[in-house]
Amino acid sequence: MVGELLHEIMRVIDVPAFDFDHDSTAKRLSAFIDDGIYDGFVAFDDAKAIGFATVYQSHSLYGNGAYGTIPELFVRPSHRSRGIGKQLLAALAGNAAGRGWTMLEVTTPPLPSFDRTLSFYERSGFEITGGRKLKLKL
């Protein structure tokens, strides 16, 4: 599903913003989970995975220390608008509270193409606090 998420973003923005390889991504996820630096939650419809969300610990002065960053949250298009994303956010929030984090932070894909995504997070209690996410490849 990570590939589906990244390909959807790239299709909508028409920019090859991500390098995705299934096998290396699966290995990286496994290592992140084994090292305890990444938590993941998967939503199922019967035995079929229909959505997922991940979170990792971040630190900052503005965040009052440790908090959670949500790098990925995805629900397959055929299952959207059914409360799956909200359930995944609830799992992330419960995980964050259990870790003693004071907040969760998320960045949406580029707007206005993903205004609906922004609206979802705002309806879920998130507030806009900053500008755009930027990256520098090293």
Side-chain angles (χ1 to χ4, degrees):
M1 283 187 287
V2 173
E4 292 175 49
L5 168 64
L6 299 179
H7 285 99
E8 179 178 336
I9 293 169
M10 291 187 292
R11 179 183 48 76
V12 170
I13 66 173
D14 198 28
V15 174
F18 306 102
D19 297 320
F20 174 75
D21 175 75
H22 181 274
D23 293 339
S24 62
T25 300
K27 286 178 188 172
R28 191 167 35 257
L29 174 61
S30 223
F32 287 175
I33 290 172
D34 289 347
D35 291 344
I37 60 171
Y38 221 62
D39 289 325
F41 300 87
V42 180
F44 290 93
D45 184 7
D46 293 322
K48 181 180 172 143
I50 58 170
F52 79 101
T54 58
V55 65
Y56 62 87
Q57 182 170 290
S58 296
H59 298 86
S60 73
L61 299 175
Y62 74 84
N64 295 318
Y67 63 94
T69 296
I70 304 169
E72 294 103 10
L73 190 149
F74 176 77
V75 175
R76 288 195 159 124
S78 60
H79 289 80
R80 291 182 185 162
S81 298
R82 296 182 185 181
I84 308 298
K86 195 167 192 105
Q87 290 174 4
L88 288 166
L89 278 179
L92 294 174
N95 176 271
R99 290 176 169 260
W101 297 341
T102 57
M103 72 174 186
L104 287 171
E105 189 171 78
V106 67
T107 303
T108 65
L111 301 171
S113 300
F114 287 89
D115 279 342
R116 200 167 158 228
T117 303
L118 175 64
S119 214
F120 162 75
Y121 285 114
E122 289 179 316
R123 284 191 316 273
S124 300
F126 285 77
E127 299 172 351
I128 297 173
T129 58
R132 299 182 180 269
K133 181 177 184 174
L134 304 165
K135 70 179 177 184
L136 171 65
K137 288 190 175 188
L138 303 176

mmCIF file of all heavy atoms in Angstrom, residues 15-31:
data_model
loop_
_atom_site.group_PDB
_atom_site.id
_atom_site.type_symbol
_atom_site.label_atom_id
_atom_site.label_comp_id
_atom_site.label_asym_id
_atom_site.label_seq_id
_atom_site.Cartn_x
_atom_site.Cartn_y
_atom_site.Cartn_z
ATOM 1 N N VAL A 15 4.636 14.838 -10.694
ATOM 2 C CA VAL A 15 6.060 15.005 -10.409
ATOM 3 C C VAL A 15 6.572 13.669 -9.841
ATOM 4 O O VAL A 15 5.960 13.123 -8.920
ATOM 5 C CB VAL A 15 6.298 16.124 -9.358
ATOM 6 C CG1 VAL A 15 7.760 16.193 -8.952
ATOM 7 C CG2 VAL A 15 5.820 17.459 -9.875
ATOM 8 N N PRO A 16 7.696 13.160 -10.366
ATOM 9 C CA PRO A 16 8.254 11.915 -9.821
ATOM 10 C C PRO A 16 8.987 12.180 -8.503
ATOM 11 O O PRO A 16 10.211 12.103 -8.415
ATOM 12 C CB PRO A 16 9.197 11.439 -10.925
ATOM 13 C CG PRO A 16 9.629 12.695 -11.603
ATOM 14 C CD PRO A 16 8.453 13.645 -11.516
ATOM 15 N N ALA A 17 8.232 12.471 -7.451
ATOM 16 C CA ALA A 17 8.790 12.934 -6.186
ATOM 17 C C ALA A 17 9.397 11.836 -5.328
ATOM 18 O O ALA A 17 10.139 12.130 -4.396
ATOM 19 C CB ALA A 17 7.703 13.657 -5.391
ATOM 20 N N PHE A 18 9.072 10.565 -5.617
ATOM 21 C CA PHE A 18 9.521 9.472 -4.765
ATOM 22 C C PHE A 18 10.155 8.362 -5.588
ATOM 23 O O PHE A 18 9.719 8.080 -6.696
ATOM 24 C CB PHE A 18 8.339 8.866 -3.977
ATOM 25 C CG PHE A 18 7.559 9.866 -3.185
ATOM 26 C CD1 PHE A 18 6.344 10.335 -3.651
ATOM 27 C CD2 PHE A 18 8.037 10.347 -1.981
ATOM 28 C CE1 PHE A 18 5.613 11.261 -2.924
ATOM 29 C CE2 PHE A 18 7.318 11.269 -1.246
ATOM 30 C CZ PHE A 18 6.101 11.732 -1.718
ATOM 31 N N ASP A 19 11.166 7.740 -5.023
ATOM 32 C CA ASP A 19 11.738 6.524 -5.575
ATOM 33 C C ASP A 19 11.165 5.388 -4.749
ATOM 34 O O ASP A 19 11.413 5.315 -3.545
ATOM 35 C CB ASP A 19 13.267 6.513 -5.439
ATOM 36 C CG ASP A 19 13.919 7.640 -6.223
ATOM 37 O OD1 ASP A 19 13.466 7.915 -7.339
ATOM 38 O OD2 ASP A 19 14.870 8.242 -5.698
ATOM 39 N N PHE A 20 10.382 4.517 -5.366
ATOM 40 C CA PHE A 20 9.758 3.437 -4.613
ATOM 41 C C PHE A 20 10.188 2.085 -5.165
ATOM 42 O O PHE A 20 10.088 1.827 -6.356
ATOM 43 C CB PHE A 20 8.233 3.536 -4.660
ATOM 44 C CG PHE A 20 7.558 2.362 -4.004
ATOM 45 C CD1 PHE A 20 7.538 2.259 -2.621
ATOM 46 C CD2 PHE A 20 6.980 1.356 -4.752
ATOM 47 C CE1 PHE A 20 6.942 1.175 -1.996
ATOM 48 C CE2 PHE A 20 6.376 0.272 -4.141
ATOM 49 C CZ PHE A 20 6.355 0.182 -2.761
ATOM 50 N N ASP A 21 10.674 1.256 -4.272
ATOM 51 C CA ASP A 21 10.995 -0.127 -4.592
ATOM 52 C C ASP A 21 10.360 -0.982 -3.491
ATOM 53 O O ASP A 21 10.678 -0.805 -2.307
ATOM 54 C CB ASP A 21 12.507 -0.344 -4.638
ATOM 55 C CG ASP A 21 12.862 -1.798 -4.846
ATOM 56 O OD1 ASP A 21 12.711 -2.296 -5.978
ATOM 57 O OD2 ASP A 21 13.268 -2.446 -3.854
ATOM 58 N N HIS A 22 9.483 -1.883 -3.884
ATOM 59 C CA HIS A 22 8.719 -2.665 -2.913
ATOM 60 C C HIS A 22 9.615 -3.426 -1.951
ATOM 61 O O HIS A 22 9.428 -3.367 -0.731
ATOM 62 C CB HIS A 22 7.772 -3.624 -3.635
ATOM 63 C CG HIS A 22 6.945 -4.440 -2.695
ATOM 64 N ND1 HIS A 22 7.386 -5.626 -2.149
ATOM 65 C CD2 HIS A 22 5.721 -4.220 -2.174
ATOM 66 C CE1 HIS A 22 6.470 -6.103 -1.346
ATOM 67 N NE2 HIS A 22 5.441 -5.282 -1.343
ATOM 68 N N ASP A 23 10.586 -4.169 -2.476
ATOM 69 C CA ASP A 23 11.416 -5.015 -1.615
ATOM 70 C C ASP A 23 12.239 -4.210 -0.616
ATOM 71 O O ASP A 23 12.291 -4.545 0.566
ATOM 72 C CB ASP A 23 12.327 -5.914 -2.455
ATOM 73 C CG ASP A 23 11.534 -6.962 -3.241
ATOM 74 O OD1 ASP A 23 10.380 -7.257 -2.857
ATOM 75 O OD2 ASP A 23 12.065 -7.472 -4.238
ATOM 76 N N SER A 24 12.872 -3.137 -1.084
ATOM 77 C CA SER A 24 13.683 -2.344 -0.150
ATOM 78 C C SER A 24 12.803 -1.613 0.862
ATOM 79 O O SER A 24 13.185 -1.439 2.022
ATOM 80 C CB SER A 24 14.600 -1.374 -0.894
ATOM 81 O OG SER A 24 13.858 -0.448 -1.644
ATOM 82 N N THR A 25 11.599 -1.215 0.451
ATOM 83 C CA THR A 25 10.675 -0.572 1.381
ATOM 84 C C THR A 25 10.225 -1.561 2.454
ATOM 85 O O THR A 25 10.157 -1.221 3.639
ATOM 86 C CB THR A 25 9.458 0.003 0.630
ATOM 87 O OG1 THR A 25 9.932 0.970 -0.318
ATOM 88 C CG2 THR A 25 8.477 0.676 1.580
ATOM 89 N N ALA A 26 9.927 -2.789 2.056
ATOM 90 C CA ALA A 26 9.511 -3.820 3.018
ATOM 91 C C ALA A 26 10.637 -4.112 4.015
ATOM 92 O O ALA A 26 10.393 -4.240 5.220
ATOM 93 C CB ALA A 26 9.095 -5.089 2.285
ATOM 94 N N LYS A 27 11.863 -4.181 3.531
ATOM 95 C CA LYS A 27 13.011 -4.418 4.423
ATOM 96 C C LYS A 27 13.196 -3.251 5.389
ATOM 97 O O LYS A 27 13.464 -3.437 6.574
ATOM 98 C CB LYS A 27 14.285 -4.639 3.612
ATOM 99 C CG LYS A 27 14.356 -5.977 2.930
ATOM 100 C CD LYS A 27 15.620 -6.102 2.112
ATOM 101 C CE LYS A 27 15.597 -7.372 1.280
ATOM 102 N NZ LYS A 27 16.701 -7.446 0.342
ATOM 103 N N ARG A 28 13.057 -2.038 4.863
ATOM 104 C CA ARG A 28 13.215 -0.849 5.701
ATOM 105 C C ARG A 28 12.138 -0.813 6.783
ATOM 106 O O ARG A 28 12.425 -0.555 7.952
ATOM 107 C CB ARG A 28 13.152 0.396 4.813
ATOM 108 C CG ARG A 28 13.559 1.663 5.468
ATOM 109 C CD ARG A 28 13.785 2.834 4.514
ATOM 110 N NE ARG A 28 12.918 2.915 3.347
ATOM 111 C CZ ARG A 28 13.292 2.566 2.113
ATOM 112 N NH1 ARG A 28 14.501 2.113 1.851
ATOM 113 N NH2 ARG A 28 12.444 2.684 1.100
ATOM 114 N N LEU A 29 10.893 -1.114 6.410
ATOM 115 C CA LEU A 29 9.806 -1.139 7.390
ATOM 116 C C LEU A 29 10.085 -2.168 8.469
ATOM 117 O O LEU A 29 9.926 -1.891 9.663
ATOM 118 C CB LEU A 29 8.471 -1.444 6.712
ATOM 119 C CG LEU A 29 7.279 -1.637 7.650
ATOM 120 C CD1 LEU A 29 7.007 -0.379 8.466
ATOM 121 C CD2 LEU A 29 6.051 -2.048 6.855
ATOM 122 N N SER A 30 10.509 -3.333 8.061
ATOM 123 C CA SER A 30 10.825 -4.401 9.024
ATOM 124 C C SER A 30 11.912 -3.953 10.001
ATOM 125 O O SER A 30 11.793 -4.153 11.207
ATOM 126 C CB SER A 30 11.297 -5.625 8.260
ATOM 127 O OG SER A 30 10.752 -6.774 8.769
ATOM 128 N N ALA A 31 12.955 -3.335 9.468
ATOM 129 C CA ALA A 31 14.054 -2.862 10.322
ATOM 130 C C ALA A 31 13.567 -1.765 11.269
ATOM 131 O O ALA A 31 13.919 -1.765 12.451
ATOM 132 C CB ALA A 31 15.207 -2.348 9.461
#
